[in-house]
Amino acid sequence: MSDATHTQPHITPKTYLIVYGALMGLMTLTLVAALFDLGVANFTIAMGIATVKMVLIILYFMHVRYSDNLTRVFSVAAFFWLLILVA
């Protein structure tokens, strides 16, 4: 297959930098949240932030956002499998 047959858009360096900045901001938010003793809420907040970071990585660095529907279906299935394993 030649490159001309691919219809997936390329992710621009600007998008990568925005996602990188978001990940760094979420990392800082995780560190700040860890400084406060909120009891059980600490775990919930940390897992929520981790989930947002995971989604950003899957969508942009693994190129799932611009993939076909079958790839998206298997990505969602893998995510639910992870939820089952954690639960």
Side-chain angles (χ1 to χ4, degrees), residues 9-75:
H10 292 287
I11 299 176
T12 63
K14 180 181 176 183
T15 303
Y16 279 126
L17 289 174
I18 291 170
V19 172
Y20 175 75
L23 289 171
M24 291 299 109
L26 289 167
M27 180 189 65
T28 304
L29 185 62
T30 303
L31 292 172
V32 170
L35 295 175
F36 299 102
D37 185 19
L38 303 173
V40 179
N42 273 30
F43 177 76
T44 306
I45 292 169
M47 290 304 288
I49 295 169
T51 301
V52 172
K53 290 190 286 189
M54 177 186 67
V55 168
L56 283 173
I57 290 169
I58 289 171
L59 287 177
Y60 291 99
F61 292 120
M62 296 175 70
H63 304 280
V64 172
R65 183 164 194 258
Y66 300 107
S67 296
D68 57 355
N69 289 335
L70 185 62
T71 304
R72 290 180 183 183
V73 166
F74 277 97
S75 297

